[in-house]
Amino acid sequence: LTNAQLSKFAEWFQCNKLSLNVDKTNFMVFSAKNKKYNSANAQIKISCWALASPTYLKKLHILQKRVVRIICGLPPRTPSQNHFKRLEILNVYEVNKLHLGIFCYKYAHALLPKLFVNYFKKIEDIHCHLTRNRCKNNFYIDRVRTKYREMTVTYQAPLLWNSLDDSIKNLPKLISFKREYKKILLKK
């Protein structure tokens, strides 16, 4: 396969109502055996999409499953969940959770810019008396009345953060948190 052959792909893309700029495109070899495929480069960083409409995430997930099937050489309708795990690739929903967890970790450990200082409320700042969650480094979850408000970072992030085990939340380094949280997501 050479870059000159990309015009054939452009034709296929066009038939499938997709576009490909041959002048700006290069090819890349995907291989599960020798790990040339780097999932970190292929995954979409969706911190700001963290709570995109489920409709958009579903479309991305369908495309992501198609790519995993291509990498594994599977027929189009083959279930792909086990292949994500085997390749150690997070699906788009798990990437979503990972980036939201990283954002929470950075907030809890004061690694975010000052702009985010009051983005969340900690339970210890809300309740003066001792509660079960006060000593767990948990965030306060505001009440919401609409589905739209449920999709916001200020609602979803505390839900996710509070569901994590303290041993994960209290890891000393961000890289350790990323590694351990990714392992948890891959096991699910």
Side-chain angles (χ1 to χ4, degrees):
L1 182 70
T2 65
N3 286 335
Q5 293 173 315
L6 285 174
S7 58
K8 292 178 184 177
F9 284 106
E11 185 178 320
W12 180 88
F13 272 62
Q14 203 169 24
C15 291
N16 289 289
K17 297 182 181 177
L18 300 168
S19 63
L20 176 71
N21 187 337
V22 179
D23 296 330
K24 294 183 179 180
T25 306
N26 291 313
F27 75 92
M28 184 165 106
V29 176
F30 290 96
S31 172
K33 291 178 185 172
N34 55 14
K35 297 286 184 182
K36 285 184 183 177
Y37 174 72
N38 183 351
S39 65
N41 292 333
Q43 291 175 342
I44 300 168
K45 295 214 175 192
I46 54 175
S47 299
C48 34
W49 277 51
L51 305 155
S53 165
T55 307
Y56 295 125
L57 290 180
K58 185 176 181 181
K59 289 177 184 178
L60 286 172
H61 188 234
I62 290 168
L63 290 172
Q64 191 182 33
K65 291 192 303 186
R66 188 180 301 167
V67 169
V68 167
R69 286 186 195 109
I70 291 169
I71 291 169
C72 295
L74 301 170
R77 300 237 182 242
T78 306
S80 59
Q81 184 176 1
N82 292 336
H83 299 285
F84 273 95
K85 305 301 179 201
R86 186 174 56 84
L87 296 171
E88 297 182 353
I89 297 173
L90 297 175
N91 68 40
V92 72
Y93 301 107
E94 293 163 339
V95 172
N96 182 346
K97 286 182 180 180
L98 177 65
H99 286 286
L100 197 56
I102 290 168
F103 182 77
C104 291
Y105 179 91
K106 287 180 176 180
Y107 180 85
H109 295 269
L111 299 173
L112 290 173
K114 290 182 182 181
L115 168 72
F116 294 102
V117 168
N118 295 318
Y119 204 68
F120 302 114
K121 299 174 203 155
K122 291 192 175 184
I123 289 180
E124 61 202 40
D125 298 335
I126 301 291
H127 299 290
C128 297
H129 56 281
L130 288 176
T131 65
R132 284 185 301 241
N133 291 317
R134 182 181 166 127
C135 55
K136 291 187 175 184
N137 197 15
N138 283 347
F139 298 154
Y140 178 74
I141 301 170
D142 289 323
R143 290 191 177 146
V144 297
R145 290 182 289 153
T146 64
K147 285 285 186 190
Y148 179 78
R149 180 74 168 88
E150 275 184 12
M151 301 299 287
T152 62
V153 172
T154 54
Y155 180 76
Q156 288 293 321
L159 283 177
L160 181 125
W161 184 253
N162 294 354
S163 71
L164 295 178
D165 190 64
D166 284 345
S167 62
I168 301 285
K169 291 193 262 190
N170 296 324
L171 287 169
K173 297 193 180 223
L174 177 61
I175 190 77
S176 303
F177 174 82
K178 287 179 185 178
R179 183 178 48 248
E180 293 304 314
Y181 190 41
K182 184 177 179 183
K183 284 180 190 175
I184 289 170
L185 291 171
L186 284 169
K187 285 181 185 176
K188 288 185 179 181

